[in-house]
Amino acid sequence: MRTWLLSLLALSSIPSLAVGLTAWESIHQTIHTYPLAIDSKDFALLSKVFSPDAVANYTGAYSNLTGLAAIQTSLAAIVARLDSQHALGTTVIDIDCKKKSANSTTYFHASLFGNPYSIGSEVYSYGYYVDALQRRTDGWRIARRQLVFLGPGFVGNLSLVGM
């Protein structure tokens, strides 16, 4: 039920992208669709976030993901046996309208919980995403993503994330 509700909320907000939003608002919407896709495990929704040829660096074993399919598969593997909540905060967007491109930095806090949950089966991470976006015929999409951890990276039960 929870997954279905998150997917419904995410999908209900997507069609409005083409109607009357500024470039900044559309980019913000693209970036902030990401946690809805991850937390609902609706990885097809990532096609509204990343371009088909996107490159993402989530560090470690996930440091050179090339193409939407690789990003979807890798992120699905990371949260396969976890419940998650990704909260995005401060977002700064610099838009070059002539080139139909933008750069953004978005701070995040990710909470990951073992499933089934038990006391001590949680891990948290803090950091920010540095994104390069391109305006495409289907809207703004992330072409390059770099994850930067703040502090120690992960805090908590590191076995949940294979550490």
Side-chain angles (χ1 to χ4, degrees):
M1 177 70 164
R2 183 178 141 245
T3 300
W4 176 82
L5 181 59
L6 285 171
S7 293
L8 180 64
L9 289 171
L11 292 174
S12 68
S13 66
I14 299 299
S16 65
L17 286 178
V19 180
L21 296 182
T22 66
W24 192 95
E25 291 166 327
S26 294
I27 292 167
H28 189 268
Q29 184 78 2
T30 295
I31 293 166
H32 286 256
T33 298
Y34 175 82
L36 298 173
I38 301 301
D39 296 340
S40 68
K41 295 182 172 42
D42 181 0
F43 300 101
L45 188 56
L46 290 174
S47 68
K48 301 289 186 190
V49 177
F50 293 98
S51 65
D53 56 348
V55 175
N57 181 346
Y58 286 93
T59 73
Y62 304 100
S63 65
N64 191 24
L65 305 178
T66 302
L68 175 60
I71 294 168
Q72 290 169 314
T73 301
S74 296
L75 293 174
I78 292 169
V79 297
R81 55 188 180 83
L82 302 169
D83 289 326
S84 63
Q85 181 187 27
H86 289 74
L88 301 183
T90 302
T91 301
V92 177
I93 301 169
D94 181 32
I95 303 168
D96 184 336
C97 291
K98 289 181 183 175
K99 293 183 180 178
K100 297 183 180 181
S101 64
N103 294 304
S104 70
T105 301
T106 305
Y107 281 76
F108 74 87
H109 171 178
S111 303
L112 306 171
F113 306 99
N115 187 353
Y117 177 78
S118 62
I119 299 298
S121 69
E122 65 268 338
V123 64
Y124 306 96
S125 65
Y126 309 88
Y128 57 93
Y129 300 115
V130 178
D131 295 326
L133 297 99
Q134 294 291 317
R135 174 79 172 117
R136 304 171 57 91
T137 57
D138 56 349
W140 288 91
R141 299 292 183 266
I142 296 171
R144 279 191 334 271
R145 167 163 280 183
Q146 172 71 50
L147 177 147
V148 178
F149 285 114
L150 294 174
F154 289 103
V155 177
N157 184 343
L158 301 181
S159 68
L160 292 173
V161 290
M163 300 174 87

Coordinates of all heavy atoms in Angstrom, one line a residue, residues 33-103:
T33 N 12.0 14.6 -8.1 CA 11.3 13.4 -8.4 C 12.2 12.2 -8.0 O 11.7 11.1 -7.7 CB 11.0 13.3 -9.9 OG1 10.1 14.4 -10.2 CG2 10.3 12.0 -10.3
Y34 N 13.5 12.4 -7.9 CA 14.4 11.3 -7.6 C 14.1 10.5 -6.3 O 14.0 9.3 -6.3 CB 15.9 11.9 -7.6 CG 16.9 10.9 -7.1 CD1 17.5 10.0 -8.0 CD2 17.4 10.9 -5.8 CE1 18.4 9.1 -7.6 CE2 18.3 10.0 -5.4 CZ 18.9 9.1 -6.3 OH 19.8 8.2 -5.9
P35 N 13.9 11.2 -5.2 CA 13.6 10.4 -4.0 C 12.3 9.7 -4.0 O 12.1 8.6 -3.5 CB 13.6 11.5 -2.8 CG 13.6 12.8 -3.5 CD 14.0 12.6 -4.9
L36 N 11.3 10.2 -4.8 CA 10.0 9.5 -4.9 C 10.2 8.2 -5.7 O 9.7 7.2 -5.3 CB 9.0 10.4 -5.7 CG 8.6 11.7 -5.0 CD1 7.8 12.5 -5.9 CD2 7.9 11.4 -3.6
A37 N 11.1 8.2 -6.7 CA 11.4 7.0 -7.4 C 12.1 6.0 -6.6 O 11.7 4.8 -6.5 CB 12.2 7.3 -8.7
I38 N 13.1 6.4 -5.9 CA 13.9 5.5 -5.0 C 13.1 4.9 -3.9 O 13.1 3.7 -3.7 CB 15.2 6.2 -4.5 CG1 16.0 6.8 -5.6 CG2 16.0 5.3 -3.6 CD1 16.5 5.7 -6.6
D39 N 12.4 5.8 -3.1 CA 11.8 5.3 -1.9 C 10.5 4.5 -2.2 O 10.1 3.6 -1.5 CB 11.4 6.5 -1.1 CG 12.6 7.3 -0.5 OD1 13.7 6.7 -0.5 OD2 12.5 8.4 -0.2
S40 N 9.9 4.7 -3.4 CA 8.8 3.9 -3.8 C 9.2 2.6 -4.6 O 8.4 1.8 -4.9 CB 7.8 4.7 -4.6 OG 8.4 5.0 -5.9
K41 N 10.5 2.6 -4.9 CA 11.1 1.5 -5.7 C 10.4 1.4 -7.1 O 10.3 0.4 -7.7 CB 11.0 0.2 -5.0 CG 11.9 0.1 -3.7 CD 11.8 -1.3 -3.1 CE 12.8 -1.5 -1.9 NZ 13.0 -0.5 -1.0
D42 N 10.1 2.6 -7.6 CA 9.5 2.7 -8.9 C 10.7 3.2 -9.8 O 10.7 4.4 -10.2 CB 8.3 3.7 -8.9 CG 7.7 3.9 -10.3 OD1 8.2 3.2 -11.3 OD2 6.8 4.7 -10.4
F43 N 11.6 2.3 -10.2 CA 12.8 2.7 -10.9 C 12.5 3.2 -12.3 O 13.3 3.9 -12.9 CB 13.8 1.6 -10.8 CG 14.2 1.4 -9.3 CD1 13.6 0.3 -8.7 CD2 15.0 2.2 -8.6 CE1 13.9 0.0 -7.3 CE2 15.2 2.0 -7.3 CZ 14.7 0.9 -6.6
A44 N 11.4 2.8 -12.9 CA 11.0 3.3 -14.2 C 10.8 4.8 -14.2 O 11.1 5.5 -15.1 CB 9.7 2.6 -14.7
L45 N 10.4 5.4 -13.0 CA 10.2 6.8 -12.8 C 11.5 7.6 -13.0 O 11.5 8.8 -13.3 CB 9.6 7.1 -11.5 CG 9.1 8.5 -11.2 CD1 8.1 9.0 -12.2 CD2 8.5 8.5 -9.8
L46 N 12.6 6.9 -12.8 CA 13.9 7.5 -13.0 C 14.1 8.1 -14.5 O 15.0 8.9 -14.7 CB 15.1 6.6 -12.6 CG 15.2 6.3 -11.1 CD1 16.3 5.3 -10.9 CD2 15.5 7.6 -10.3
S47 N 13.3 7.6 -15.4 CA 13.4 8.1 -16.8 C 12.9 9.6 -16.8 O 13.2 10.3 -17.8 CB 12.5 7.2 -17.7 OG 11.2 7.4 -17.4
K48 N 12.2 10.0 -15.8 CA 11.8 11.4 -15.6 C 12.9 12.3 -15.0 O 12.7 13.5 -14.8 CB 10.5 11.5 -14.8 CG 9.3 10.8 -15.4 CD 8.8 11.4 -16.7 CE 7.6 10.7 -17.1 NZ 7.2 11.1 -18.5
V49 N 14.0 11.6 -14.5 CA 15.0 12.3 -13.8 C 16.3 12.3 -14.6 O 17.0 13.3 -14.7 CB 15.3 11.6 -12.4 CG1 16.5 12.2 -11.7 CG2 14.0 11.6 -11.6
F50 N 16.7 11.1 -15.2 CA 18.0 11.0 -15.9 C 17.8 10.9 -17.4 O 16.8 10.3 -17.8 CB 18.7 9.7 -15.4 CG 19.2 9.8 -14.0 CD1 18.5 9.2 -13.0 CD2 20.4 10.5 -13.7 CE1 18.9 9.3 -11.7 CE2 20.8 10.6 -12.4 CZ 20.1 10.0 -11.3
S51 N 18.7 11.4 -18.2 CA 18.6 11.2 -19.6 C 19.0 9.8 -19.9 O 19.7 9.1 -19.1 CB 19.6 12.2 -20.3 OG 20.9 11.9 -20.0
P52 N 18.7 9.3 -21.1 CA 19.0 7.9 -21.4 C 20.5 7.6 -21.4 O 20.9 6.5 -21.1 CB 18.5 7.7 -22.9 CG 17.4 8.7 -23.0 CD 17.8 9.9 -22.1
D53 N 21.3 8.6 -21.7 CA 22.8 8.4 -21.7 C 23.5 9.0 -20.5 O 24.7 9.3 -20.6 CB 23.3 9.0 -23.0 CG 23.0 10.5 -23.2 OD1 22.1 11.0 -22.5 OD2 23.5 11.1 -24.1
A54 N 22.8 9.2 -19.4 CA 23.3 9.9 -18.2 C 24.5 9.1 -17.7 O 24.6 7.8 -17.9 CB 22.3 10.0 -17.2
V55 N 25.4 9.8 -17.0 CA 26.5 9.2 -16.3 C 26.4 9.6 -14.8 O 26.2 10.7 -14.5 CB 27.9 9.6 -16.8 CG1 29.0 9.1 -16.0 CG2 28.0 9.3 -18.3
A56 N 26.5 8.6 -13.9 CA 26.3 8.9 -12.5 C 27.5 8.3 -11.7 O 27.9 7.2 -12.0 CB 25.0 8.3 -11.9
N57 N 28.0 9.0 -10.7 CA 29.0 8.5 -9.8 C 28.5 8.6 -8.4 O 28.4 9.6 -7.8 CB 30.3 9.4 -10.0 CG 31.4 8.9 -9.1 OD1 31.2 8.1 -8.2 ND2 32.6 9.4 -9.3
Y58 N 28.1 7.4 -7.9 CA 27.7 7.3 -6.5 C 28.8 6.7 -5.6 O 28.5 6.3 -4.5 CB 26.5 6.3 -6.4 CG 25.2 7.0 -7.0 CD1 24.8 6.8 -8.3 CD2 24.4 7.7 -6.1 CE1 23.6 7.4 -8.8 CE2 23.2 8.3 -6.6 CZ 22.9 8.2 -7.9 OH 21.7 8.8 -8.4
T59 N 30.0 6.8 -6.1 CA 31.2 6.3 -5.4 C 31.3 4.8 -5.3 O 30.3 4.1 -5.4 CB 31.5 7.0 -4.0 OG1 30.5 6.5 -3.1 CG2 31.3 8.5 -4.1
G60 N 32.5 4.3 -5.0 CA 32.8 2.9 -4.8 C 32.4 2.1 -6.0 O 32.7 2.4 -7.1
A61 N 31.7 1.0 -5.7 CA 31.3 0.1 -6.8 C 30.3 0.7 -7.7 O 30.1 0.2 -8.8 CB 30.6 -1.2 -6.2
Y62 N 29.8 1.8 -7.3 CA 28.8 2.5 -8.2 C 29.3 3.9 -8.7 O 28.6 4.8 -8.9 CB 27.5 2.8 -7.4 CG 26.9 1.5 -6.8 CD1 27.2 1.1 -5.5 CD2 26.2 0.6 -7.6 CE1 26.7 -0.1 -5.0 CE2 25.7 -0.6 -7.2 CZ 26.0 -0.9 -5.8 OH 25.5 -2.1 -5.4
S63 N 30.6 3.9 -9.0 CA 31.3 5.1 -9.4 C 31.3 5.4 -10.8 O 31.6 6.6 -11.2 CB 32.7 5.2 -8.8 OG 33.5 4.2 -9.5
N64 N 30.9 4.5 -11.7 CA 30.9 4.8 -13.1 C 29.7 4.2 -13.8 O 29.8 3.2 -14.6 CB 32.2 4.3 -13.8 CG 32.4 4.8 -15.2 OD1 31.8 5.8 -15.6 ND2 33.1 4.1 -16.0
L65 N 28.5 4.7 -13.5 CA 27.3 4.1 -14.0 C 27.0 4.9 -15.3 O 26.8 6.1 -15.3 CB 26.1 4.3 -13.0 CG 26.4 3.7 -11.7 CD1 25.2 3.9 -10.8 CD2 26.7 2.2 -11.8
T66 N 26.9 4.2 -16.4 CA 26.7 4.9 -17.7 C 25.4 4.4 -18.3 O 25.2 3.2 -18.5 CB 27.9 4.6 -18.7 OG1 29.1 5.1 -18.0 CG2 27.7 5.3 -20.0
G67 N 24.5 5.3 -18.5 CA 23.2 5.0 -19.1 C 22.1 4.8 -18.1 O 22.4 4.4 -17.0
L68 N 20.9 5.2 -18.5 CA 19.7 5.1 -17.6 C 19.5 3.7 -17.0 O 19.3 3.5 -15.8 CB 18.5 5.6 -18.3 CG 17.2 5.4 -17.5 CD1 17.2 6.2 -16.2 CD2 16.0 5.9 -18.4
A69 N 19.7 2.7 -17.9 CA 19.4 1.3 -17.4 C 20.4 0.9 -16.3 O 20.0 0.2 -15.4 CB 19.5 0.3 -18.6
A70 N 21.7 1.3 -16.5 CA 22.7 0.9 -15.5 C 22.4 1.7 -14.1 O 22.6 1.1 -13.1 CB 24.1 1.3 -16.0
I71 N 21.9 2.9 -14.2 CA 21.6 3.7 -13.0 C 20.4 3.0 -12.4 O 20.4 2.8 -11.1 CB 21.3 5.1 -13.4 CG1 22.6 5.8 -13.9 CG2 20.7 5.9 -12.2 CD1 22.4 7.2 -14.5
Q72 N 19.4 2.7 -13.1 CA 18.2 2.0 -12.6 C 18.5 0.7 -11.9 O 18.1 0.4 -10.7 CB 17.1 1.8 -13.6 CG 16.5 3.0 -14.2 CD 15.7 2.8 -15.4 OE1 16.1 2.1 -16.3 NE2 14.5 3.4 -15.4
T73 N 19.3 -0.1 -12.6 CA 19.7 -1.5 -12.0 C 20.5 -1.3 -10.8 O 20.3 -2.0 -9.8 CB 20.4 -2.3 -13.1 OG1 19.6 -2.4 -14.2 CG2 20.9 -3.6 -12.6
S74 N 21.5 -0.4 -10.8 CA 22.3 -0.3 -9.6 C 21.6 0.3 -8.4 O 21.8 -0.2 -7.3 CB 23.5 0.7 -10.0 OG 24.3 0.1 -11.0
L75 N 20.7 1.3 -8.6 CA 20.0 1.9 -7.5 C 19.0 0.9 -6.9 O 18.8 0.8 -5.7 CB 19.3 3.2 -7.9 CG 20.3 4.3 -8.2 CD1 19.5 5.5 -8.8 CD2 21.1 4.7 -7.0
A76 N 18.4 0.1 -7.8 CA 17.5 -1.0 -7.4 C 18.2 -2.0 -6.5 O 17.7 -2.5 -5.5 CB 16.8 -1.7 -8.6
A77 N 19.5 -2.3 -6.9 CA 20.2 -3.3 -6.1 C 20.6 -2.7 -4.7 O 20.6 -3.4 -3.7 CB 21.5 -3.7 -6.9
I78 N 20.9 -1.4 -4.7 CA 21.3 -0.8 -3.4 C 20.2 -0.9 -2.4 O 20.4 -1.2 -1.2 CB 21.7 0.6 -3.6 CG1 23.0 0.7 -4.4 CG2 21.9 1.4 -2.3 CD1 23.4 2.1 -4.9
V79 N 18.9 -0.6 -2.8 CA 17.8 -0.6 -1.8 C 16.9 -1.8 -1.9 O 15.8 -1.8 -1.3 CB 17.0 0.7 -2.0 CG1 17.8 2.0 -1.8 CG2 16.3 0.8 -3.4
A80 N 17.4 -2.8 -2.6 CA 16.5 -4.0 -2.8 C 15.9 -4.6 -1.4 O 14.8 -4.9 -1.4 CB 17.3 -5.1 -3.5
R81 N 16.8 -4.7 -0.4 CA 16.3 -5.3 0.9 C 16.2 -4.2 2.0 O 16.2 -4.5 3.1 CB 17.2 -6.4 1.3 CG 18.6 -6.1 1.4 CD 19.5 -7.3 1.6 NE 20.9 -6.8 1.7 CZ 21.5 -6.4 2.8 NH1 20.8 -6.3 3.9 NH2 22.7 -6.0 2.8
L82 N 16.0 -3.0 1.5 CA 15.9 -1.9 2.5 C 14.6 -1.0 2.2 O 14.1 -1.0 1.1 CB 17.1 -0.9 2.3 CG 18.5 -1.6 2.5 CD1 19.5 -0.6 2.1 CD2 18.6 -2.0 4.0
D83 N 14.1 -0.4 3.2 CA 13.2 0.7 3.1 C 14.0 2.0 3.2 O 15.0 2.0 3.9 CB 12.1 0.6 4.1 CG 11.1 -0.5 4.0 OD1 10.9 -0.9 2.8 OD2 10.7 -1.1 5.0
S84 N 13.6 3.0 2.5 CA 14.4 4.2 2.5 C 13.5 5.5 2.6 O 12.4 5.5 2.2 CB 15.3 4.2 1.3 OG 14.5 4.3 0.1
Q85 N 14.2 6.5 3.0 CA 13.6 7.9 2.9 C 14.7 8.8 2.5 O 15.7 9.0 3.3 CB 13.0 8.3 4.2 CG 12.4 9.7 4.0 CD 11.9 10.3 5.3 OE1 12.3 10.0 6.4 NE2 10.9 11.2 5.2
H86 N 14.6 9.4 1.3 CA 15.6 10.3 0.9 C 15.0 11.7 0.9 O 13.9 12.0 0.3 CB 16.0 10.0 -0.6 CG 16.8 8.8 -0.7 ND1 16.3 7.5 -0.6 CD2 18.2 8.7 -1.0 CE1 17.3 6.7 -0.8 NE2 18.4 7.3 -1.0
A87 N 15.6 12.6 1.7 CA 15.1 13.9 1.9 C 16.1 14.9 1.2 O 17.3 14.9 1.5 CB 15.0 14.3 3.4
L88 N 15.6 15.7 0.3 CA 16.4 16.7 -0.4 C 16.1 18.0 0.3 O 15.0 18.4 0.6 CB 16.1 16.7 -1.9 CG 16.3 15.4 -2.6 CD1 16.0 15.6 -4.1 CD2 17.7 14.9 -2.4
G89 N 17.2 18.8 0.4 CA 17.1 20.1 1.0 C 17.5 21.2 0.1 O 17.0 21.4 -1.0
T90 N 18.5 22.0 0.6 CA 19.0 23.2 -0.2 C 19.3 22.8 -1.6 O 20.0 21.8 -1.9 CB 20.2 23.7 0.5 OG1 19.9 24.1 1.8 CG2 20.7 25.0 -0.2
T91 N 18.7 23.5 -2.5 CA 19.0 23.3 -4.0 C 19.4 24.6 -4.6 O 18.6 25.6 -4.5 CB 17.8 22.7 -4.7 OG1 17.4 21.5 -4.1 CG2 18.1 22.5 -6.2
V92 N 20.5 24.7 -5.2 CA 21.0 25.9 -6.0 C 21.1 25.5 -7.4 O 21.7 24.4 -7.8 CB 22.3 26.4 -5.4 CG1 22.8 27.6 -6.3 CG2 22.2 26.8 -4.0
I93 N 20.5 26.2 -8.3 CA 20.4 25.9 -9.7 C 20.9 27.1 -10.5 O 20.5 28.2 -10.3 CB 19.0 25.6 -10.2 CG1 18.4 24.4 -9.4 CG2 18.9 25.3 -11.7 CD1 16.9 24.1 -9.6
D94 N 21.9 26.8 -11.4 CA 22.4 27.9 -12.3 C 22.1 27.4 -13.8 O 22.5 26.4 -14.2 CB 23.9 27.9 -12.2 CG 24.6 29.0 -13.0 OD1 23.9 30.0 -13.3 OD2 25.7 28.8 -13.5
I95 N 21.3 28.3 -14.4 CA 20.7 27.9 -15.7 C 21.4 28.7 -16.8 O 21.5 29.9 -16.7 CB 19.2 28.1 -15.8 CG1 18.5 27.4 -14.7 CG2 18.6 27.8 -17.1 CD1 17.1 27.8 -14.4
D96 N 21.8 28.0 -17.9 CA 22.3 28.7 -19.1 C 21.2 28.4 -20.2 O 21.2 27.4 -20.9 CB 23.6 28.1 -19.5 CG 24.2 28.9 -20.7 OD1 23.4 29.5 -21.5 OD2 25.4 28.8 -20.9
C97 N 20.3 29.4 -20.4 CA 19.2 29.2 -21.3 C 19.6 29.1 -22.7 O 19.0 28.3 -23.5 CB 18.2 30.3 -21.1 SG 17.3 30.2 -19.5
K98 N 20.7 29.8 -23.1 CA 21.2 29.7 -24.5 C 21.6 28.3 -24.8 O 21.4 27.8 -25.9 CB 22.3 30.7 -24.7 CG 21.8 32.1 -24.7 CD 23.0 33.1 -25.0 CE 22.5 34.5 -24.9 NZ 23.6 35.4 -25.0
K99 N 22.3 27.6 -23.9 CA 22.8 26.3 -24.2 C 21.8 25.2 -23.7 O 22.1 24.0 -23.9 CB 24.1 26.1 -23.4 CG 25.3 26.9 -23.9 CD 26.5 26.6 -23.2 CE 27.7 27.4 -23.7 NZ 28.9 27.1 -22.9
K100 N 20.7 25.6 -23.2 CA 19.7 24.7 -22.7 C 20.3 23.7 -21.7 O 20.1 22.5 -21.8 CB 19.0 23.9 -23.8 CG 18.2 24.8 -24.7 CD 17.5 24.1 -25.8 CE 16.7 25.0 -26.7 NZ 16.0 24.3 -27.8
S101 N 21.1 24.2 -20.8 CA 21.8 23.4 -19.8 C 21.7 24.1 -18.4 O 21.4 25.3 -18.3 CB 23.3 23.1 -20.2 OG 24.0 24.4 -20.2
A102 N 22.0 23.3 -17.4 CA 22.0 23.9 -16.0 C 22.9 23.0 -15.2 O 23.2 21.8 -15.5 CB 20.6 23.8 -15.5
N103 N 23.4 23.6 -14.1 CA 24.2 22.9 -13.1 C 23.5 23.2 -11.8 O 22.9 24.2 -11.5 CB 25.6 23.5 -13.0 CG 26.4 23.2 -14.3 OD1 26.5 22.0 -14.7 ND2 26.9 24.2 -14.9

